[in-house]
Amino acid sequence: MLRVVTYNIHKCSGMDGRVLPSRIVDVLRKLDADVIALQEVVRHPEDGPEGDQAKVIADALGCSLSFGQTRTLRTTEAPYGNAILSRFPIVGTQSYDITASVREARGCLRADIQWKNKRVLHVFNAHLGTGYMERRKQGRMLVSEKVLNNPKFLGSRLLVGDFNEWTTGLATQLLRAHMVSVELSKFGKRRKTYPGIFPLLHLDHIYSDPLFELKHFEVVRTKLARMASDHLPLVADFQVHALAADAKS
């Protein structure tokens, strides 16, 4: 079984206005995940709560770390972007620029994770824009051969993240046409993830290749999670089936 979490941590700034990476760590530690995809992560070289949040969280959880910078923060010039943490070795990584608006740079991070029996799983962590036309362009970027549909990755892809799309827009339609959209309804009615303290919108999503069979899913709504960020984390348990090449070997 492979447990995956996707979580927009909002620079570790909670609903109470406090910046506490330790609180994000406490939320994640209870989830006991194998792979964690984080959005809105700060990597300031100095110490303190607004310092290198990616390293602080990865070290506290004992995980390998991959980071993809999308831009720098205006106030501190600190690197800011997406991160993937893994209990298993990360054997490759790439950050993709999916900027489609002059308002803000956006990115998608890929981490190649060496799972059991030396199999490599390709985990993509995306954070799309808030604009309608922006997301339409980003959907096309994601399903291009430069990103998700690169033949090297087909069959063992997992895509998670904050898609900023609460309706069935073009980005959602394109991703559903190329990958399996995780059907959350059979695991309960709670799918809304934003804002954390009183969620009204379903912005965070999970897509996969058929290799990944969803066994369990939940939106984490603990008291701590509702306060730690403006998003709630999603946790999913997958049974990872054998690839055709694995079955022959």
Side-chain angles (χ1 to χ4, degrees):
M1 201 70 69
L2 179 73
R3 172 161 285 194
V4 177
V5 166
T6 180
Y7 193 11
N8 184 326
I9 63 172
H10 191 48
K11 307 173 195 169
C12 295
S13 178
M15 300 300 287
D16 56 1
R18 294 191 296 167
V19 179
L20 294 173
S22 60
R23 186 163 53 184
I24 297 294
V25 169
D26 289 342
V27 171
L28 292 170
R29 184 176 283 122
K30 290 179 172 64
L31 301 183
D32 195 28
D34 299 304
V35 176
I36 302 169
L38 304 176
Q39 303 87 43
E40 296 195 22
V41 185
V42 178
R43 298 208 71 179
H44 198 286
E46 297 182 2
D47 294 332
E50 296 183 7
D52 192 342
Q53 298 173 352
K55 186 176 187 303
V56 167
I57 296 169
D59 287 352
L61 298 175
C63 289
S64 302
L65 169 66
S66 174
F67 178 76
Q69 179 177 329
T70 56
R71 62 180 176 90
T72 57
L73 297 179
R74 297 184 185 91
T75 53
T76 63
E77 296 300 316
Y80 168 84
N82 305 314
I84 296 175
L85 284 60
S86 174
R87 283 178 172 168
F88 300 97
I90 297 176
V91 295
T93 185
Q94 184 172 350
S95 187
Y96 303 93
D97 183 358
I98 57 169
T99 302
S101 167
V102 296
R103 293 182 300 174
E104 183 178 344
R106 297 285 179 171
C108 176
L109 174 66
R110 189 195 83 242
D112 305 321
I113 294 174
Q114 186 173 300
W115 200 53
K116 300 176 182 178
N117 301 322
K118 297 184 178 181
R119 295 167 60 192
V120 176
L121 308 177
H122 305 289
V123 179
F124 294 80
N125 176 15
H127 189 189
L128 273 58
T130 57
Y132 172 76
M133 294 304 296
E134 181 182 13
R135 290 194 303 274
R136 291 175 68 88
K137 295 176 183 177
Q138 289 167 335
R140 295 187 183 98
M141 291 179 186
L142 285 175
V143 300
S144 71
E145 289 193 4
K146 292 183 178 180
V147 190
L148 287 168
N149 281 329
N150 185 320
K152 294 187 296 184
F153 310 136
L154 296 180
S156 55
R157 304 166 300 170
L158 185 66
L159 170 65
V160 301
D162 176 2
F163 294 85
N164 272 312
E165 191 151 75
W166 55 94
T167 59
T168 309
L170 181 63
T172 299
Q173 294 174 40
L174 287 170
L175 292 170
R176 286 179 177 175
H178 290 266
M179 301 181 74
V180 177
S181 176
V182 168
E183 182 53 56
L184 309 180
S185 58
K186 65 179 181 180
F187 294 94
K189 296 180 179 179
R190 290 181 172 176
R191 289 171 285 173
K192 296 174 182 178
T193 57
Y194 177 87
I197 200 164
F198 187 72
L200 299 172
L201 300 174
H202 179 200
L203 303 182
D204 305 88
H205 298 270
I206 301 172
Y207 299 89
S208 70
D209 277 325
L211 171 77
F212 299 90
E213 181 185 355
L214 185 67
K215 291 296 186 179
H216 172 77
F217 165 84
E218 67 176 299
V219 178
V220 181
R221 294 175 55 89
T222 63
K223 182 178 179 180
L224 185 63
R226 292 200 304 270
M227 187 58 64
S229 172
D230 63 348
H231 282 246
L232 295 173
L234 303 184
V235 57
D237 292 327
F238 292 98
Q239 181 177 344
V240 185
H241 294 287
L243 293 165
D246 298 326
K248 294 177 183 178
S249 61

